[in-house]
Amino acid sequence: RVASGKEYLDFISEQLSGPEGVSYRPMMGEYIFLQEKVIGGIYDDRLPVKPVKAARHLMPGAPYEVPYEGGGKMLLVEEVDDWEFLQNLFRAMYDQLPPPKKRK
């Protein structure tokens, strides 16, 4: 498994920049995106997101993938070049995501 490249991370981060405050943090050699809640991540230069109802609705033909060994199925975002689509997708998903887990 090859970690995602910095160029891809920079590209996706720029696509997600805006007033909603989407950020990322490194995790196991990859990156997860969050707005206080985990939305999805970059794994091997791919952007899968949690398969909440809004994501399934906005990407009805999106393939499911297991982004890493032992992980759950996620929806692959194929429209990463479409800034407006990504903004709308993340905004629509937010209320359907589980709250962040409390750290001990």
Side-chain angles (χ1 to χ4, degrees), residues 36-103:
E36 299 161 6
K37 302 174 182 182
V38 175
I39 297 171
I42 293 181
Y43 305 91
D44 298 327
D45 290 339
R46 296 169 302 147
L47 177 63
V49 295
K50 294 197 173 213
V52 296
K53 185 176 181 179
R56 293 190 314 268
H57 174 74
L58 290 170
M59 302 185 304
Y64 282 87
E65 292 195 353
V66 177
Y68 53 90
E69 192 175 319
K73 286 186 178 179
M74 297 176 82
L75 282 174
L76 180 63
V77 179
E78 297 178 305
E79 300 88 350
V80 295
D81 291 331
D82 187 338
W83 180 87
E84 192 172 343
F85 174 80
L86 284 178
Q87 296 286 322
N88 290 334
L89 174 65
F90 276 47
R91 197 174 303 120
M93 290 176 63
Y94 184 78
D95 288 337
Q96 297 175 3
L97 293 165
K101 293 179 180 170
K102 300 219 185 286
R103 294 185 179 205

